[in-house]
Amino acid sequence: MNKRTFLNLLSTAIASPVVAPLSAWADKQKLTNWAGNLTYSTDHLHEATSVDQIRSVLRSENKVKVLGTRHCFNSIADSRQNLLSLKPMHQVVAVNREARAVTLEAGITYGQLGPYLDSQGFALHNLASLPHISVAGACSTATHGSGEKNGNLATAVSALEFVTASGELVKLSRKSDGEVFRGAVVGLGALGVITRITLDIQPTFSVRQYVYENLPLAQIKEHFDDIQSSGYSVSLFTDWQKQRINELWIKSRVTDGQSFAAPPEFFGAKLARRNLHPIAELSAENCTEQMGVPGPWYERLPHFRMGFTPSAGKELQSEYFVPRRNAIDAILAVERLRDQVTPHLLISEIRTIAADDLWMSTCYRQPGVTIHFTWKPDWPAVRRLLPVIEKELSPFQPRPHWGKLFTLSPSELRSRYEKLPDFIQLAKQYDPQGKFRNDFLNTNLFAD
Ligand SMILES: Cc1cc2nc3c(=O)[nH]c(=O)nc-3n(C[C@H](O)[C@H](O)[C@H](O)COP(=O)(O)OP(=O)(O)OC[C@H]3O[C@@H](n4cnc5c(N)ncnc54)[C@H](O)[C@@H]3O)c2cc1C
């Protein structure tokens, strides 16, 4: 089944409280994730348009996994039994101007939300590289953008509503529920079916985006902090060859006295005179506007434009978070592997993220630097390479992105989350029988 068929099938929402599974695919093709590297283990896909319909699915099925926009590369969203999509539940419920908060139905994407919020005079603090992903799926996996003062996207969540395995509708908020709330926000799909999310918003703002080419690696070693603090959101793209960062992307808020001055040369890198794709060979048509043209936050903070294929399309992705204090050593560790890495790579991206207090966040209590890999779609080769990278990064105790490919053992993974025992207890409280647990969660988190 191609992506369009999938979307068409999903759009056949049923308004009755009873949900018919959309399992009979017209062309008998299997349901896959966005990248096509994962075929979900069932074609039993339910779709809900209301809390009552969600309850109906949960009553009739022992195992259910909610699907967002299917952009994870690993099996965190997979199920052998039942998938549940909330795609039709994509309305903005309320904008609270005084509290600076927006409440959303869980199926909404950042691409749907951005223009609406902007039209109301508001913005989110940050976005990922693409707006195509669902807010619920992104926050559930601690998806992030860049910017050393910006927490990941889940840090904007101030309240959450979800239906538990027993059908109870639980409402948690940052203000009233303290630790339980902080445990639930990056929930990895393990606590229940998120139906509503409330996010912090701020007055809308404009951003100018500049791209520099050929930043010498030596400058990164000497001036990493200066470079990372040069913009509101900064990304370094490299193929690890020639001792250089191929492209430096600086996203600067248009605020009096704080904008980036964009000199023609910056730490030895040259200001680009045309829009660029992070993979320089690809057309920049898919990318957000650069060369300092001011634009609204939702059209500059992502690298890729809504309505166009983000990234390369045919690819795999991996990403490792290390403590910010180890940034240079970790970058140099990967650079040493360049001749093994580059043949399988489309591009790497290095970003910074502020610390937070969300239990299962990859930046829990530590400001992070992430080293991301967009791979050519050759899983056998990537699978052989990931342990080599993970070993090289092991002195820095890397935490892998929850939605991307990694080969760290479950025990290594578990050792990196001090709040994991509490998270497991929380999940068991809302889901004692493991209705929302799948192979990924059982193997990586819940195994004894
Ligand atoms: C091209 C591309 C670029 C990317 N760029 C970035 C980036 O810049 N930064 C970054 O951090 N990541 C990035 N990612 C990864 C991506 O953001 C994450 O994989 C994210 O989780 C995708 O959201 P989704 O809605 O597609 O999730 P899915 O893959 O559909 O689901 C992810 C998890 O969320 C759970 N979930 C979804 N909805 C609900 C709900 N309503 N209730 C309960 N659980 C739910 C699922 O069960 C699953 O466990 C990128 C991925 C791609 C394909």
Side-chain angles (χ1 to χ4, degrees):
M1 177 187 311
N2 61 32
K3 287 174 188 162
R4 178 156 302 161
T5 316
F6 171 73
L7 293 172
N8 286 340
L9 275 170
L10 281 185
S11 66
T12 57
I14 309 156
S16 95
V18 180
V19 187
L22 299 173
S23 58
W25 304 117
D27 52 9
K28 296 289 178 212
Q29 281 181 304
K30 294 288 183 185
L31 177 62
T32 71
N33 65 347
W34 172 85
N37 67 301
L38 175 83
T39 299
Y40 294 110
S41 308
T42 179
D43 60 1
H44 283 213
L45 175 64
H46 306 258
E47 185 178 72
T49 60
S50 66
V51 169
D52 280 347
Q53 287 193 347
I54 293 167
R55 286 186 172 130
S56 155
V57 174
L58 297 183
R59 256 196 314 274
S60 62
E61 307 293 351
N62 286 332
K63 290 273 188 189
V64 176
K65 201 75 220 161
V66 189
L67 268 189
T69 42
R70 303 176 294 121
H71 279 65
C72 285
F73 291 84
N74 60 29
S75 56
I76 192 168
D78 195 17
S79 172
R80 290 170 191 266
Q81 290 86 5
N82 292 284
L83 295 164
L84 171 62
S85 168
L86 307 189
K87 189 167 187 276
M89 297 175 68
H90 59 71
Q91 301 299 319
V92 174
V93 178
V95 174
N96 185 332
R97 294 176 172 272
E98 289 69 44
R100 293 209 173 158
V102 61
T103 299
L104 319 159
E105 290 184 328
I108 198 168
T109 66
Y110 287 98
Q112 292 167 321
L113 175 62
Y116 174 79
L117 262 190
D118 188 60
S119 75
Q120 299 297 304
F122 290 105
L124 299 175
H125 79 293
N126 210 359
L127 290 169
S129 71
L130 75 174
H132 308 58
I133 51 179
S134 77
V135 174
C139 293
S140 295
T141 61
T143 290
H144 62 94
S146 191
E148 55 184 15
K149 296 196 176 128
N150 298 325
N152 67 38
L153 303 189
T155 61
V157 178
S158 66
L160 206 56
E161 291 185 25
F162 56 95
V163 184
T164 67
S166 66
E168 184 194 355
L169 184 67
V170 171
K171 302 183 183 188
L172 299 175
S173 74
R174 187 194 284 148
K175 202 169 164 194
S176 310
D177 298 291
E179 275 297 270
V180 172
F181 171 78
R182 290 190 278 278
V185 175
V186 179
L188 309 175
L191 305 190
V193 183
I194 301 167
T195 52
R196 286 189 178 181
I197 296 185
T198 302
L199 300 177
D200 297 333
I201 53 176
Q202 56 182 270
T204 191
F205 57 90
S206 297
V207 175
R208 294 178 192 272
Q209 179 164 238
Y210 300 94
V211 174
Y212 285 82
E213 293 181 273
N214 296 317
L215 174 69
L217 192 60
Q219 298 287 351
I220 291 287
K221 289 187 218 168
E222 295 298 317
H223 302 289
F224 187 76
D225 288 344
D226 295 332
I227 292 167
Q228 287 301 334
S229 61
S230 63
Y232 182 70
S233 164
V234 173
S235 289
L236 309 172
F237 290 99
T238 181
D239 62 3
W240 303 103
Q241 294 296 312
K242 301 185 187 163
Q243 296 275 309
R244 54 106 165 79
I245 300 297
N246 306 44
E247 295 177 19
L248 160 65
W249 288 40
I250 299 174
K251 300 173 196 277
S252 173
R253 279 176 76 134
V254 182
T255 313
D256 287 346
Q258 287 178 31
S259 279
F260 178 65
E265 191 168 325
F266 188 63
F267 291 106
K270 300 277 189 305
L271 187 60
R273 298 287 173 202
R274 64 193 166 95
N275 284 352
L276 288 171
H277 192 288
I279 305 166
E281 300 75 36
L282 297 186
S283 164
E285 191 195 9
N286 300 12
C287 298
T288 48
E289 189 67 34
Q290 302 158 29
M291 293 190 294
V293 179
W297 59 278
Y298 67 90
E299 288 184 348
R300 295 293 181 278
L301 293 176
H303 305 327
F304 302 106
R305 293 162 66 190
M306 199 63 194
F308 290 79
T309 301
S311 196
K314 291 196 170 95
E315 65 193 64
L316 303 174
Q317 294 189 9
S318 306
E319 186 166 33
Y320 299 97
F321 296 67
V322 300
R324 166 71 189 249
R325 64 179 179 281
N326 298 128
I328 309 292
D329 289 340
I331 291 168
L332 294 180
V334 177
E335 200 267 338
R336 281 195 293 278
L337 300 174
R338 60 189 174 277
D339 291 339
Q340 291 176 71
V341 167
T342 309
H344 305 290
L345 189 73
L346 291 167
I347 201 69
S348 269
E349 181 176 9
I350 300 165
R351 288 177 276 187
T352 48
I353 299 116
D356 61 58
D357 57 7
L358 305 174
W359 293 359
M360 299 309 286
S361 164
T362 39
C363 287
Y364 178 72
R365 292 200 174 159
Q366 71 181 23
V369 167
T370 66
I371 305 181
H372 161 92
F373 303 84
T374 301
W375 301 109
K376 295 174 187 170
D378 179 356
W379 176 232
V382 172
R383 188 174 49 196
R384 280 194 297 275
L385 199 49
L386 291 183
V388 180
I389 295 171
E390 288 163 3
K391 182 158 181 265
E392 203 66 21
L393 290 176
S394 61
F396 319 115
Q397 303 279 296
R399 294 171 177 165
H401 191 301
W402 286 114
K404 301 185 183 180
L405 297 163
F406 59 88
T407 58
L408 283 169
S409 70
S411 61
E412 284 171 300
L413 186 64
R414 289 198 287 266
S415 72
R416 291 179 193 166
Y417 287 89
E418 63 184 82
K419 295 298 271 185
L420 180 64
D422 297 327
F423 180 75
I424 289 174
Q425 281 315 111
L426 194 62
K428 287 184 174 168
Q429 181 188 325
Y430 294 122
D431 180 18
Q433 309 299 327
K435 194 182 281 275
F436 302 115
R437 266 169 254 161
N438 59 5
D439 290 352
F440 179 96
L441 293 175
N442 283 333
T443 305
N444 287 301
L445 299 184
F446 287 85
D448 291 327

